[in-house]
Amino acid sequence: MAHEITADFEKVYDGGPTIRAAFHMPADRPHVTVLFGPSGSGKTTILRCLAGLDRPQAGRISFAGALWFDADEGIMMPPQQRGIGYLFQDYALFPHLTVTQNIGYALASLSAEARATRVNEMITLLKLEGLGERRPSQLAGGQQQRVALARVLAPHPQLLLLDEPLSALDVPTREELRGELRGLLRSQPSPVMCVTHDSLEALTLADEVAVVAGGRIVQVGPPEEVFSRPVDAQVAAIVGVETVVAAKAGERTDGLVALEVGSARLWAIDSAERATNFFVSIRAEDVTVTTGALPSSSARNHLAGRITEVRPAGPVSRVVLECGFTLIALVTRQAAQDLGLRPGALVTATVKASTIHLIPR
Amino acid sequence: MSWEPIILTLRLAGLTAAILVVVGVPIAYWLTYSRWRWKFLVEAVVALPLVLPPTVLGFYVLVAVSPRSPLGQMYQTLTGHSLAFTFEGLLFASVLYSLPFAVQPFTSAFGAVDPKLVEASWTLGVSRLKTFLRVTLPLSAAGVVTGVVLSFAHTLGEFGVVLMVGGNIPGVTRTVSIDIYDEVQALNYPAAAQTALVLLLFSFVILSVVYALNRRVWAVWPMR
């Protein structure tokens, strides 16, 4: 495929794990693939092999028709020639250079004038005005991250590789930058592969999620599918047991927002961003299941639904309901027996507005 | 007291330090980044002058530069005169003798540069050589200065090697330490004391300046 990145390779560490990756993603548009998985699962190795920083023992990597790596033919294109932008987890800014020099570092072949123009574009894009003469050590974490992004984007890379882009930041800065990063990645022309172990980051940024476990890609799909319908227990354990569905904001009152989710309507606490499109995430343990008449309750959301599946897991049962969208609830096995929860039963699911998590898209 | 040996010694030390930058930086670069399994052999060879008695090193250099050795013959065909008992021969010996004092701080400094920075430069499309010149070398500046000063100071004080290789030709190979030795042999203590004091003060000033600029002067072989 001409406009695809195709990779199928294997990297073996001496006396360590074997990392196997096989995937393809579009190479000609800003498509964000998130490699999601626990630490030590091999995500960063996959990224480093794509960058040409690590050499796999077997396999092939090609980018839009160009062969980057082929073990059988002994081809290994050096990182310099791959036209990538690699954002390191701790940014790897050059400590002896100013912000301006860091951003212009890859632009040595341009004239001084063209370089200054491009650096200024980047400074404006990433809101770094007034910091040009500072050194990295004189910047806050969030500012360092912006400089690193500016440096990576300045030479117009044809593929962006981001290694845990937000994990080195303190929580408030991370919250602030997460949405901004999504906007930035959408506004630039290259495809992106991003590594993270943070589900919120994955849900915010991803067009497609690839779950990595034990050195292998175990599930690939749209984020809501991967998070709501894990293929097996291993993936379920990694993504956490929760419902993730796409939602559209409707009416807004009193700091609450009404969400159209499937054919159902949910009230949730509005996000600061007041976005229109969301992923809604509901933890299974926050869903209460009732049968019969409803008691008065402080909870805002009562959803009538039908049980499609009850699966015991230790002391609890995982109950899947169809209530306009697929909702997962976690109840004790005792409660499931007392209430007679079984497939086909009609129940009401109750969810507090404050437990519904909104992820702006 | 004669200034001639002092000026000669400064010239020798300065040239030795300059040559060691040119020769030592590539060796240190290779030692830092090579994954060759027999690398330790090269490390041992570079460090040899630290443990060998100067007379042993001087003896081998003397043999090597004699007109009958291949090296001495090559030099003679190229320049028309012999390498033994000349300033150039002495310079060659000094470079070998001070090699570890330059290469060790260089290697230690290069090794202390975060490999992520080097990789970051590569992924930004910058070649290995330019990455070295734009990232590794500037970030190792303190270590390079340390190596230059140490090899300079070490050459100032060399005695055994000079005695073996250079002999004692005024203005050509008669360095400060030989001069002092001669004055003492001639029981001319006041002249020896003067020259010794000049060397002592000079060395003290250099080392003070370096310590003031950089706390990690006696960087030993990096633990890797």
Side-chain angles (χ1 to χ4, degrees):
Chain A
M1 296 290 275
H3 297 292
E4 269 200 339
I5 302 161
T6 54
D8 185 351
F9 59 84
E10 189 175 306
K11 166 89 185 155
V12 186
Y13 285 100
D14 272 351
T18 299
I19 314 292
R20 263 190 215 119
F23 60 88
H24 56 93
M25 61 186 265
D28 55 351
R29 56 195 157 93
H31 176 93
V32 182
T33 305
V34 166
L35 289 177
F36 178 77
S39 358
S41 58
K43 310 182 295 286
T44 298
T45 301
I46 295 174
L47 214 58
R48 288 178 60 86
C49 288
L50 274 181
L53 293 172
D54 277 351
R55 186 187 179 123
Q57 274 80 1
R60 237 174 99 93
I61 300 171
S62 70
F63 182 96
L67 198 54
W68 277 7
F69 173 75
D70 191 313
D72 298 333
E73 292 182 45
I75 292 170
M76 168 77 179
M77 190 191 274
Q80 283 93 340
Q81 291 168 23
R82 296 193 184 194
I84 47 166
Y86 193 108
L87 187 79
F88 286 83
Q89 191 171 356
D90 49 7
Y91 316 137
L93 294 174
F94 302 123
H96 60 302
L97 301 180
T98 62
V99 167
T100 304
Q101 289 168 330
N102 263 287
I103 299 174
Y105 183 83
L107 310 175
S109 60
L110 299 185
S111 70
E113 211 175 310
R115 186 162 61 234
T117 309
R118 182 65 181 153
V119 168
N120 282 330
E121 276 172 31
M122 287 296 111
I123 284 184
T124 312
L125 180 67
L126 286 141
K127 305 190 199 105
L128 290 162
E129 290 93 347
L131 301 175
E133 293 316 304
R134 299 247 191 119
R135 305 232 170 216
S137 58
Q138 298 167 305
L139 299 175
Q143 292 168 334
Q144 290 186 15
Q145 206 250 15
R146 289 163 195 266
V147 175
L149 273 167
R151 184 178 70 177
V152 157
L153 291 171
H156 301 288
Q158 54 177 349
L159 170 65
L160 270 179
L161 303 169
L162 314 179
D163 190 1
E164 304 269 6
L166 300 169
S167 69
L169 298 170
D170 54 70
V171 175
T173 316
R174 196 185 304 167
E175 299 284 327
E176 184 193 318
L177 279 181
R178 197 184 293 120
E180 222 180 289
L181 183 61
R182 180 190 66 237
L184 187 71
L185 296 183
R186 295 273 152 83
S187 69
Q188 57 83 47
S190 341
V192 180
M193 181 163 263
C194 173
V195 158
T196 185
H197 65 268
D198 180 303
S199 54
L200 209 51
E201 217 167 294
L203 284 167
T204 305
L205 301 176
D207 293 312
E208 188 174 59
V209 172
V211 181
V212 184
R216 238 158 267 234
I217 295 177
V218 287
Q219 186 176 359
V220 183
E224 66 273 34
E225 185 186 305
V226 169
F227 278 85
S228 298
R229 289 189 288 284
V231 284
D232 57 25
Q234 187 190 25
V235 177
I238 292 167
V239 299
V241 183
E242 46 181 40
T243 303
V244 177
V245 276
K248 234 179 167 54
E251 166 192 356
R252 294 185 137 103
T253 62
D254 251 357
L256 293 183
V257 57
L259 300 163
E260 310 302 332
V261 187
S263 62
R265 178 176 238 234
L266 281 175
W267 286 95
I269 293 172
D270 206 356
S271 71
E273 269 184 69
R274 298 179 68 85
T276 317
N277 292 303
F278 295 96
F279 273 141
V280 165
S281 133
I282 303 167
R283 301 197 64 83
E285 53 265 46
D286 290 334
V287 179
T288 311
V289 179
T290 39
T291 49
L294 270 184
S296 359
S297 144
S298 67
R300 291 293 87 200
N301 300 299
H302 303 286
L303 303 159
R306 182 185 293 274
I307 293 176
T308 55
E309 189 190 332
V310 179
R311 193 194 298 157
V316 290
S317 287
R318 190 168 170 275
V319 179
V320 183
L321 314 156
E322 198 48 61
C323 55
F325 61 98
T326 308
L327 180 66
I328 299 155
L330 216 51
V331 299
T332 58
R333 221 160 56 195
Q334 193 68 51
Q337 273 167 16
D338 292 353
L339 292 175
L341 300 184
R342 60 182 187 283
L346 293 175
V347 294
T348 303
T350 305
V351 188
K352 291 173 71 173
S354 57
T355 60
I356 296 180
H357 205 93
L358 294 187
I359 301 150
R361 291 281 290 179
Chain B
M1 187 190 87
S2 156
W3 286 96
E4 195 180 64
I6 293 179
I7 290 162
L8 177 79
T9 305
L10 292 181
R11 197 158 76 91
L12 179 68
L15 281 170
T16 302
I19 292 173
L20 278 172
V21 172
V22 178
V23 175
V25 165
I27 295 179
Y29 180 88
W30 184 83
L31 285 176
T32 309
Y33 295 109
S34 168
R35 294 203 193 135
W36 191 46
R37 59 186 297 210
W38 303 106
K39 182 169 91 172
F40 66 92
L41 292 177
V42 180
E43 287 177 321
V45 168
V46 171
L48 264 184
L50 286 177
V51 290
L52 276 187
T55 44
V56 172
L57 184 73
F59 171 74
Y60 282 117
V61 172
L62 189 63
V63 171
V65 300
S66 83
R68 269 174 295 173
S69 83
L71 180 70
Q73 270 174 7
M74 198 174 73
Y75 189 82
Q76 195 144 20
T77 6
L78 286 175
T79 63
H81 59 88
S82 154
L83 195 52
F85 302 108
T86 60
F87 181 75
E88 288 75 21
L90 189 56
L91 188 58
F92 174 66
S94 292
V95 167
L96 284 184
Y97 185 48
S98 292
L99 193 60
F101 288 82
V103 171
Q104 289 191 358
F106 293 174
T107 310
S108 159
F110 297 163
V113 173
D114 185 352
K116 286 250 173 67
L117 297 179
V118 173
E119 289 181 340
S121 173
W122 293 351
T123 59
L124 288 164
V126 176
S127 71
R128 282 171 182 250
L129 177 64
K130 285 200 175 137
T131 296
F132 178 71
L133 296 175
R134 292 175 67 188
V135 177
T136 313
L137 206 53
L139 289 174
S140 312
V144 172
V145 170
T146 300
V148 167
V149 172
L150 283 182
S151 49
F152 182 87
H154 186 235
T155 309
L156 278 189
E158 76 181 50
F159 178 74
V161 173
V162 184
L163 201 62
M164 294 295 285
V165 179
N168 184 4
I169 306 166
V172 179
T173 59
R174 186 186 169 110
T175 60
V176 176
S177 51
I178 302 282
D179 185 56
I180 295 169
Y181 181 72
D182 277 357
E183 300 290 9
V184 172
Q185 292 289 297
L187 299 180
N188 191 358
Y189 278 60
Q194 272 186 342
T195 314
L197 187 64
V198 169
L199 194 61
L200 175 69
L201 289 177
F202 192 80
S203 308
F204 177 73
V205 168
I206 288 190
L207 291 180
S208 309
V209 168
V210 174
Y211 271 113
L213 293 176
N214 174 10
R215 303 300 310 168
R216 296 176 300 144
V217 172
W218 293 108
V220 280
W221 210 240
M223 302 299 288
R224 273 176 294 114

